[in-house]
Amino acid sequence: MDIASTLLTASTATPVTAQLRGKVLLVTIDNPPVNALGVDVRRGLVEAIEAAEANPAVAAVLLAGAGRNFIGGADIREFGQTPLPPSLPEVCNRVEACRKPVIAAIHGAALGGGLEVALAAHYRLAVASAKLGLPEVQLGLLPGAGGTQRAPRLIGVKAALELMLSGRHVGAKEALSLGLIDRLGGSDDTLAEGLAYAQELLLEGAPVRRTRDATAALADRDASRAALEAARAETGKKSRGLFSPLKIVEAVEATLQQPFDAGLALERQLFLQCMASPQRAGLIHAFFAEREVLKAPETKAAKPRPIGSVGVVGGGTMGAGIAVAVLEAGLPVTMIERDDASLARGRAHVEKVYDGLMAKGRLTREAKAALLERFAGSTSYDSLAAVDLVIEAVFEEMGVKQAVFAELDRVCKPGAVLATNTSYLDINAIGASISRPADVVGLHFFSPANIMKLLEIVVPAKVSADVVATAFELAKKLRKVPVRAGMCDGFIGNRILAVYRQAADYLLEKGASPYQIDQAVRDFGYPMGPFQVSDLAGGDIGWATRKRRAATRDPNARYVHIADRLCERGWFGQKTGRGWYLYPEGARAGTPDPEVLAIIDEERAKAGVTPRTFTDEEIMRRYLAAMINEGANVVREGIALRPLDVDVTLVHGYGFPRYRGGPMKYADMVGLPKVLADIREFAQEDPLFWTPSPLLVDLVERGRDFDSLNHA
Ligand code: T1G
Ligand code: NAD
């Protein structure tokens, strides 16, 4: 009975096949979409190694992946379920223990457990398309199948820690220079390269070479110790509340203190601690949510139109940032401004970004010149006659925007996509003002547009599906995280922001200080609190919004005047040297301002409020309850497709800590009954503001959670 038939029989259930190629047993992992190491793959790998050892015709084993990747890692979907044997550490130990040389031939992704399988192999080859990494930290985990013990033995403590703490992917060339791989394939034909390398090793009589026994990279113990302590100190400072980074350092430390198997045991212990941490659940939710948001009805129903060139109207804060993002995606940009002076300012805004990168050594003069070669500016709309897509970013006034769209309707070619970056205006009204509303869509970038990942794709009533699909395609080109949003005041993000910002203002009026609120929000994991954010963005923007909404505001709703008092004094924040905080000599970090506290006391007295103290815990319960409740309303009204769309929006656009998954995921982890109970408690003070979302009430009554709506 030959090998193939043996394994075939055994492997009908497993996505692992084995074929004898001369004296080499080619073991192929074929588990779409990314060859994740699900239980069937793990079993298939162990069976293949045992079969190879048992068959005298086999002199070496070659591991390879079918499709676009080697192995994308452990199967993340299995996390949180009952683990089935063999475990991944056992699989890696079995590969390493094989009595015949095992070679890994890598193309595409070899990430996490995928790289750990390769590290357990005795020799590694990669072709140019390979990307290798141990990104478990991005999932709240650490490499749990020997990576923390084998990687340092191959590439040293410093490089291994950098790889694990950054979670970044390295290309084949860098992997070779690091020592992660032994051979760079000359062509993209991974199989041919792998088989040739295996033949060569057999001809040389290359021995089994177990990574657990490698010592060279750890020889300089002082340097290793120094690298470890430096990483521990840096991580302690930088990990901002993250659980797993310091566990990674602790696991790697074992390579300097304990024998291999004891190090593996410690790694396992620390891995299980990370698995038990709520951060793992939050980060894995974020991982899948960032992929689910791409699945909108329009992206399933329609093909995107071609995007070969882009026009940007308006070269201000947003227009310039958008132009930079488009240039970085390799596309040509034509910027339109009102007049030559404004155009020059627009171009200067773009150049300022590049000059900043050059000053940091992150861009060369030549690269800047190459980018600007694709930048054109004009004050004539006729220059947009041939572009595929236009993004309007002019003043936030309906009249100005409709005038711009009238020009676009006049000059743009049939089929051009016409997008607006408005923050609040009615996109249906913009579309209705021209002859082709089906080509009008909202593309709501966040400032700075070349940095912020979030892109709200706002879908007005008349837009065609392929225009929405084109917007998603643009997001992919710009490496943005797109979220589909329905049309309402503030779309998903700004609408929810307005509500939890209101809750913060009510806390302020009731007795909490802006500085205590900001501290509580930072301690929860945000980079900044709401009052710091207002000072950064400019209090005048919020003031303009409050004035715009005054006409439609519910007269029964409580209105807090404190922020208006500051704006009336011109205290808009960093740009005016003071806002909620003082910014002496243009400082970026603000200091508390006793005059602001005095104004707050004055306004409380006017409002007849006797201030009281709040604990940080109570501040966050109110702040988050307001956010979650409005998130539920946004889902209920179909403005957001699923709760996960709210999560991705708040994480990538509003600083919600990613390791908590997003407000809706956080609510599920806290328990919806508790959130609803909080809202009902707060409603005793203010039943109008604290009206429980009917969706939240319904889910609680049916014992369901928000996640149950994510895959409905
Ligand atoms: N497990 C399960 N599903 C996965 C997966 C994984 N590891 N990786 C991707 N998918 C799904 C993904 O949800 C999507 O599904 C589809 O595959 C295509 O993904 C013990 C514990 C490999 C670079 O962190 O970085 O190993 O939306 O759209 O752009 O130490 O996916 O189609 O239904 O991203 O070509 C460590 C995670 C795991 C790598 C491919 N590994 N994956 O990118 O496709 S933890 C990772 C990626 C671990 C061990 C530990 C990328 C990719 P759907 P995609 P892509
Ligand atoms: P900005 O004032 O910095 O820039 C607006 C630019 O538009 C100016 O340079 C002006 O000269 C130009 N302009 C005005 N009328 C024009 C016309 N008819 N033709 C060509 N150019 C014209 O404003 P901004 O902050 O960049 O905001 C632009 C848009 O983006 C607004 O709709 C705003 O709501 C939205 N937005 C702003 C932010 C933000 O944080 N600033 C974030 C998201 C969205």
Side-chain angles (χ1 to χ4, degrees), residues 33-34 36 68-69 72-77 79 88 109 111-114 116 131 135-136 139 141-145 169 271 287-288 291-292 295:
V34 297
R68 292 187 305 123
N69 298 295
D75 189 336
I76 304 171
R77 294 186 195 283
F79 292 164
L88 196 47
L111 299 174
E116 289 173 297
K131 45 185 180 191
E136 285 85 347
L139 300 171
L141 297 168
L142 54 79
H169 303 173
F271 177 78
F287 173 87
F288 285 120
R291 283 156 180 77
E292 288 299 311
K295 300 168 189 167

Side-chain angles (χ1 to χ4, degrees), residues 621-656:
R621 275 173 50 217
R622 288 169 181 256
Y623 194 75
L624 294 164
M627 190 186 298
I628 294 161
N629 197 48
E630 192 60 16
N633 288 334
V634 161
V635 173
R636 181 170 173 270
E637 294 166 27
I639 300 297
L641 289 173
R642 301 147 292 212
L644 66 85
D645 295 79
V646 173
D647 286 335
V648 172
T649 301
L650 274 286
V651 165
H652 287 280
Y654 297 81
F656 193 98

